[in-house]
């Protein structure tokens, strides 16, 4: 609520949009999904900086992952991930790529697009055992990357070192 009030008083529309986007992320973290949808609807028509556009695309994609495997939409996520990498925001880039990989799994955009997702993930320079990388590889190129993913999964403890996020991604992989 505080972020929404500050956004409404922002003289610069792009800063107002950034603050609303932040409010949507906080709502997501709190599990208030209807509030996320309401706020992202407000932000959709506002001018945003490229980083905020990417974060909004990720946040919107959290609810739509798997709903569309259209090559253009998946490539759009890959492109946004590339922009995030160029601005040293590897966490956002990887989040976008996990979303792209989920879409590739459910609505196959073709081998070329699936391979582009994996190549983009490799540019993020994640450790080989990173659960996000394993999920991306397993969802995008399960046949091609299967031995790599299985080899890395076998090195993880059953409790994923007590990390629920890691456990979820490892389960996907």
């Amino acid at each position: 609520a505080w972020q929404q009030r500050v956004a409404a008083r922002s003289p610069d529309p792009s800063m107002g949009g950034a603050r609303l986007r932040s409010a949507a992320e906080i709502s997501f973290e709190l599990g208030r999904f209807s509030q996320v949808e309401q706020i992202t609807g407000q932000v959709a028509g506002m001018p945003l900086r490229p980083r905020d556009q990417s974060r909004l695309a990720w946040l919107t994609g959290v609810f739509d992952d798997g709903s569309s495997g259209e090559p253009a939409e998946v490539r759009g996520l890959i492109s946004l991930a590339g922009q995030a990498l160029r601005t040293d925001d590897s966490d956002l880039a990887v989040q976008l790529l996990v979303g792209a990989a989920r879409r590739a799994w459910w609505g196959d955009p073709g081998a070329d697009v699936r391979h582009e997702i994996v190549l983009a993930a490799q540019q993020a320079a994640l450790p080989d055992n990173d659960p996000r990388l394993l999920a991306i590889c397993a969802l995008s190129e399960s046949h091609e990357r299967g031995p790599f993913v299985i080899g890395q999964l076998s090195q993880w403890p059953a409790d994923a070192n007590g990390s629920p996020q890691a456990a979820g991604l490892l389960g996907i992989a």
Side-chain angles (χ1 to χ4, degrees):
W2 175 81
Q3 286 282 7
Q4 288 178 289
R5 287 193 299 272
V6 171
R9 291 174 177 77
S10 296
D12 177 358
S14 68
M15 287 304 299
R19 290 178 174 131
L20 279 176
R21 189 251 332 132
S22 179
E25 286 184 3
I26 292 168
S27 296
F28 173 76
E29 290 173 11
L30 294 172
R32 297 179 181 161
F33 302 119
S34 62
Q35 195 173 25
V36 173
E37 290 178 336
Q38 180 245 336
I39 296 170
T40 56
Q42 285 180 271
V43 177
M46 300 178 79
L48 295 171
R49 297 172 299 188
R51 181 179 188 280
D52 291 320
Q53 289 172 343
S54 295
R55 293 200 69 80
L56 184 63
W58 166 76
L59 190 57
T60 303
V62 166
F63 299 107
D64 295 332
D65 282 348
S67 66
S68 171
E70 289 296 318
E73 290 181 25
V74 176
R75 280 191 167 118
L77 291 173
I78 296 167
S79 175
L80 290 171
Q83 289 175 12
L85 283 173
R86 286 189 291 280
T87 60
D88 295 325
D89 194 345
S90 62
D91 284 334
L92 174 59
V94 174
Q95 288 173 334
L96 289 163
L97 292 171
V98 168
R102 284 183 174 156
R103 288 174 183 238
W105 174 260
W106 289 109
D108 186 10
D112 291 342
V113 176
R114 291 192 320 268
H115 189 64
E116 289 173 32
I117 296 167
V118 173
L119 290 176
Q122 290 171 337
Q123 291 175 357
L126 299 171
D128 282 351
N129 68 344
D130 189 298
R132 300 168 300 175
L133 177 63
L134 298 176
I136 290 167
C137 289
L139 291 167
S140 300
E141 293 187 321
S142 56
H143 296 304
E144 300 87 336
R145 308 283 175 170
F148 162 75
V149 172
I150 290 169
Q152 292 299 320
L153 287 173
S154 68
Q155 296 177 25
W156 273 90
D159 70 349
N161 292 327
S163 169
Q165 288 178 326
L169 290 165
L170 294 170
I172 288 170

